[in-house]
Amino acid sequence: MNSDKRREIKSFVKRKGRMSKLQINALRNLSGIFSIPFQEKLISFHKIFQNKNNTFLEIGFGMGQATVEIAEKNPDKNYIGIEVHTPGVGKLLSEIELRELKNIRVIEYDAVEVIHHMIPDNSLQGVHIFFPDPWPKKKHHKRRLIKDSFIRLLIPKIKDEGYLYIATDWEPYAEWIVETLGRFNELANKYDLYAEHIPWRPVTAFEKKGKNKNHLIRDIWFDKKKTGL
Ligand SMILES: C[S@@+](CC[C@H](N)C(=O)[O-])C[C@H]1O[C@@H](n2cnc3c(N)ncnc32)[C@H](O)[C@@H]1O
């Protein structure tokens, strides 16, 4: 994909959002330890985490609740979280320090650019996208993160037999996601249609909002097929 096309339409509009003192301090004091600055260069998970554990990517972690809970329960796995919402980045950094987690790193930048420039091929064991912005109006559908160009970019980064796990509370987006992923021969839906709720996925802030509006929660799980290469 050429870079002009990638830059055309963003899947987010940067929200201002007030920052708490805790978040400001975390950004000031902890970014140097737990953040990876955006760069147009591949990163090495081995170097960053000083281990050969499997690495998982979370895109759009919001305030990072799911990120910390999952990482805390899996100290033998590495997690990279990407988010553009600065208060959320501050919150996640403060939680990493509070819980003394060694297995999370944070990148504050557009995930599309990060994946293109920084993530090596065949490097991710799993990708989590929990409650991506649904962009419900038809005229905004082009902003949806899950679309052919993005999945085409993402697939080579996932290891054979790795997975892509998405959750949404917006039924038309759930249908769109299953249809989009279904167009890729490299991926296989692990379930007939939707996954059962996976017990280790914590309830996030956006999930709560959806449930308060009586929205159904849809979990979608696709495996990357073995290519044998
Ligand atoms: C609806 S929120 C969900 C947040 C969180 N996962 C949750 O479930 O509470 C979607 C998040 O994705 C982030 N986001 C959207 N597009 C992004 C992109 N291209 N790169 C990084 N973050 C993105 C937004 O800033 C927002 O915080």
Side-chain angles (χ1 to χ4, degrees), residues 50-98:
Q50 296 288 306
N51 64 42
K52 294 199 168 175
N53 295 344
N54 281 326
T55 299
F56 298 76
L57 180 71
E58 184 180 347
I59 300 169
F61 58 71
M63 301 309 275
Q65 301 102 325
T67 328
V68 278
E69 282 189 40
I70 294 172
E72 193 165 34
K73 289 193 181 125
N74 295 280
D76 56 340
K77 294 174 182 164
N78 302 324
Y79 296 88
I80 303 260
I82 310 178
E83 178 54 73
V84 289
H85 183 53
T86 310
V89 173
K91 173 72 177 155
L92 177 54
L93 290 171
S94 70
E95 286 292 325
I96 294 173
E97 192 194 38
L98 188 72

Side-chain angles (χ1 to χ4, degrees), residues 172-229:
Y173 198 20
E175 288 164 13
W176 160 297
I177 292 168
V178 171
E179 260 177 50
T180 305
L181 302 187
R183 282 196 284 274
F184 288 84
N185 284 332
E186 300 92 328
L187 300 175
N189 194 342
K190 190 173 173 188
Y191 297 84
D192 286 341
L193 182 58
Y194 298 117
E196 68 230 29
H197 174 81
I198 314 279
W200 54 258
R201 182 177 67 71
V203 175
T204 68
F206 273 81
E207 178 168 4
K208 273 188 205 140
K209 282 188 196 170
K211 280 184 172 155
N212 287 342
K213 290 183 209 153
N214 289 325
H215 291 176
L216 271 177
I217 306 300
R218 297 299 194 188
D219 288 69
I220 298 160
W221 184 296
F222 276 67
D223 287 318
K224 184 171 169 187
K225 292 179 195 164
K226 196 173 180 177
T227 60
L229 295 175

Side-chain angles (χ1 to χ4, degrees), residues 34 119 123 168 214 227:
F34 302 118
I119 306 295
S123 65
T168 181
N214 289 325
T227 60

Side-chain angles (χ1 to χ4, degrees), residues 10-13 15 58-65 82-85 109-112 129-134 145 204-207:
K10 298 286 181 207
S11 59
F12 57 88
V13 174
R15 297 169 277 152
E58 184 180 347
I59 300 169
F61 58 71
M63 301 309 275
Q65 301 102 325
I82 310 178
E83 178 54 73
V84 289
H85 183 53
Y109 210 78
D110 180 355
V112 177
I129 309 178
F130 299 146
F131 302 90
D133 298 287
L145 179 67
T204 68
F206 273 81
E207 178 168 4

